[in-house]
Amino acid sequence: MKIITMAATVGILSVAVMPAAGEARPCTKHQGDSKRACQAQLKRDRMAWPPNPTAPEIRRRVGDYNWHKARRVAICETGMRLDWYPHGRYRGPLGMYRTTQDYGKRATSYWSPRTWQEHVAIAVAAHPITRGWSGWGCGAA
């Protein structure tokens, strides 16, 4: 299995969310409030890890494989409980070791993960030090 470094992941993500050459100015057809909303969404789409992310935003960034794998790992590790030992050695629904979670938090800026999508983003952002999902006891789930 290939391991993608954080720098490569961010580079891939920035290319994936950039508009194609044929649509270099995607908001030009909009006007007024619609144009402002389009520009705000475009700016958000270009962020590696947007603040207060929605599930579709994170799923697009981490891919279907990681999205589904995170769910299987969470069910195996903790029964997918968001409140699982928030201050213990292993934290969150994915049962991440605290230093692993701290690494992912620094990469994503999700300092107090409250939602499932933030936990998934933190886990995937920590893949450079966990060698993908092999850093989890249930990584084979």
Side-chain angles (χ1 to χ4, degrees), residues 8 42 72 94 109 115:
L42 185 62
R72 292 191 307 271
L94 291 154
S109 297
T115 63

Side-chain angles (χ1 to χ4, degrees), residues 13 17 19 36 49 58 61 69 78 92-93 97 110 125 136 140:
L13 287 173
V17 296
R36 282 187 286 283
W49 304 108
I58 295 302
R61 283 165 174 78
K69 180 72 167 185
T78 68
Y97 189 66
Y110 300 145
W136 276 262

Side-chain angles (χ1 to χ4, degrees), residues 21-49:
E23 57 177 271
R25 301 184 57 106
C27 298
T28 56
K29 295 180 181 178
H30 300 280
Q31 293 183 356
D33 289 340
S34 177
K35 185 170 190 156
R36 282 187 286 283
C38 178
Q39 290 169 335
Q41 185 61 49
L42 185 62
K43 181 179 177 183
R44 190 171 171 83
D45 288 345
R46 288 180 176 164
M47 293 177 177
W49 304 108

Side-chain angles (χ1 to χ4, degrees), residues 74 78-86 91-94 101 113-120:
T78 68
M80 211 166 158
R81 289 184 46 197
L82 286 175
D83 63 344
W84 198 72
Y85 297 113
R91 303 176 179 166
L94 291 154
Q101 188 184 47
R114 295 175 305 281
T115 63
W116 169 247
Q117 53 267 22
E118 288 176 349
H119 284 285
V120 172

